[in-house]
Amino acid sequence: MNLAQIIQELHLTVLTEPQDFAAVEPSSGYTSDLLSCVMSGAAKHSVWVTLQAHSNIVAVAALLELTAIIITEGAMPDPATIAKANQEGITLLATTDPSFHVIGRLWDLGLRAG
Amino acid sequence: MIPPLIVREALDLGIQLIAVTDHNATANIQAVMKAAQDTELIVLPGMELQTREEVHLLCLFDTLDQTFAFQTIVDAHLPNIPNNPDFFGEQFVVDETGDFIRSEERLLLSSADLSFEQAWAQVDQLGGILIPAHVNRKSFGLLEILGFVPVEVPVDALEISRHITPQKARETFPQIAAYPLIQNGDVHGLDGFLGTSHYTLAAPTIAEIRKAVQNLEGRSVRIAPIP
């Protein structure tokens, strides 16, 4: 399953510059709102689901080479964070749905834990 | 904790300066200041702010006016959830003798809808100092929640809790290497006073504390071992 399908199926808003999302295949999924956990737990090329929209999420995703961050619950990163994500090549996706819903849908689509 | 007992306990332990920093609240600061009025104890006003990210930040000011101006900003960003004393305990406002004035109706333990950066900008604009609180702690500690100190914000210092030594903190969290450390008691009861941060200041002001953490002009701060 590729990122374009995920964006379409979950009706995600793409916050960063569009890319060829159909060519991006996430390895797995991960969720936590504590960045210290993410830094030690998320797998390379995974999709990270979180309601944390602070700019540090971009640095963490870049460090771990994550594919995309799905920001849930209507949390919204500020423009500087989105600019930083574009710079780092990190895809930021947003939804008003709660994390539990998003993770359930990702699992339905075949994404598994890393 | 009633104000005269706070003052007496601090003085008994040889502590010369305390800051009153309630969670998202400032209503009891004046009472402690008044209780300390004819004593040697200096009381700085402040707040322990809980940000949108659920990070605790120590916000210290020189004057009550600055502190109350900050409270107004925080109030505008706090959710209007009534306190349930059965679950969360009472939120009393008292006078300098400890007598009841009123109960704070709004739940103070929630997060203000202010980001770390917004909080810093507001405190800085008001002339205060912002120090991320108990950064080593799992609950509400900056390093657990945000992983590292946001690089865009010129944070003056970080506070570590009583549960860790400065040496151990620097070993455990290499990402704090560049930041000066202070240690506070995070006093929630009369037995909680610590007094391990020893400052050399020309006066008990925010400007002097800033110089001390930066080790400027002969001002300094040293963390003594917990006795």
Side-chain angles (χ1 to χ4, degrees), chain A residues 46-60:
Chain A
S46 60
V47 169
W48 169 24
V49 180
T50 180
L51 55 74
Q52 195 67 262
H54 187 272
S55 68
N56 277 16
I57 61 173
V58 174
V60 168

Side-chain angles (χ1 to χ4, degrees), chain A residues 87-105:
Chain A
Q87 225 172 52
E88 298 283 350
I90 300 296
T91 297
L92 297 183
L93 306 166
T95 176
T96 52
D97 287 334
S99 296
F100 188 79
H101 179 97
V102 169
I103 294 158
R105 291 289 296 126

Side-chain angles (χ1 to χ4, degrees), chain B:
Chain B
M1 285 203 293
I2 67 167
L5 294 184
I6 293 173
V7 174
R8 198 178 68 192
E9 186 66 19
L11 289 169
D12 281 353
L13 292 168
I15 293 172
Q16 293 171 296
L17 186 152
I18 65 169
V20 179
T21 58
D22 286 326
H23 195 261
N24 294 338
T26 52
N28 280 309
I29 300 171
Q30 259 173 314
V32 183
M33 282 181 153
K34 280 187 190 162
Q37 223 159 37
D38 297 319
T39 75
E40 299 285 298
L41 187 68
I42 296 155
V43 180
L44 283 180
M47 182 193 289
E48 181 187 57
L49 175 73
Q50 184 171 317
T51 69
R52 182 189 292 159
E53 301 90 3
E54 301 216 335
V55 172
H56 281 185
L57 302 175
L58 203 53
C59 308
L60 300 177
F61 299 95
D62 283 307
T63 69
L64 278 172
D65 281 351
Q66 290 169 307
T67 315
F68 293 153
F70 186 59
Q71 179 77 66
T72 306
I73 296 161
V74 172
D75 280 344
H77 292 88
L78 273 180
N80 210 355
I81 305 169
N83 181 35
N84 183 335
D86 290 342
F87 292 120
F88 304 121
E90 297 286 356
Q91 302 178 154
F92 291 143
V93 179
V94 298
D95 71 10
E96 66 270 26
T97 67
D99 275 348
F100 174 85
I101 297 176
R102 65 181 173 89
S103 262
E104 172 66 54
E105 302 296 335
R106 188 150 76 157
L107 182 65
L108 292 170
L109 66 70
S110 35
S111 296
D113 191 14
L114 288 166
S115 69
F116 182 93
E117 283 75 9
Q118 287 167 335
W120 182 85
Q122 298 287 3
V123 171
D124 189 58
Q125 200 176 4
L126 286 166
I129 187 170
L130 180 148
I131 300 172
H134 45 70
V135 293
N136 54 296
R137 282 191 46 200
K138 290 274 181 198
S139 309
F140 307 109
L142 170 75
L143 300 173
E144 176 75 2
I145 295 169
L146 291 181
F148 51 93
V149 187
V151 286
E152 292 85 1
V153 181
V155 171
D156 289 290
L158 305 174
E159 186 217 67
I160 55 169
S161 79
R162 64 176 69 234
H163 310 98
I164 198 164
T165 63
Q167 294 76 17
K168 185 76 188 157
R170 292 198 188 282
E171 243 176 74
T172 314
F173 306 103
Q175 66 269 47
I176 64 172
Y179 294 93
L181 299 180
I182 62 166
Q183 184 177 49
N184 290 337
D186 197 6
V187 180
H188 284 70
L190 283 177
D191 56 354
F193 284 89
L194 204 56
T196 52
S197 287
H198 297 188
Y199 293 84
T200 303
L201 308 172
T205 64
I206 299 305
E208 285 284 322
I209 290 173
R210 186 168 274 128
K211 280 182 193 169
V213 296
Q214 292 169 356
N215 222 355
L216 294 175
E217 300 170 31
R219 279 69 162 179
S220 63
V221 57
R222 178 178 66 84
I223 302 177
I226 296 174

Side-chain angles (χ1 to χ4, degrees), chain A residues 3 10 12 23 27 46 62 70-71 75:
Chain A
L3 201 53
L10 276 75
L12 302 175
S27 63
S46 60
I70 303 179
I71 303 165

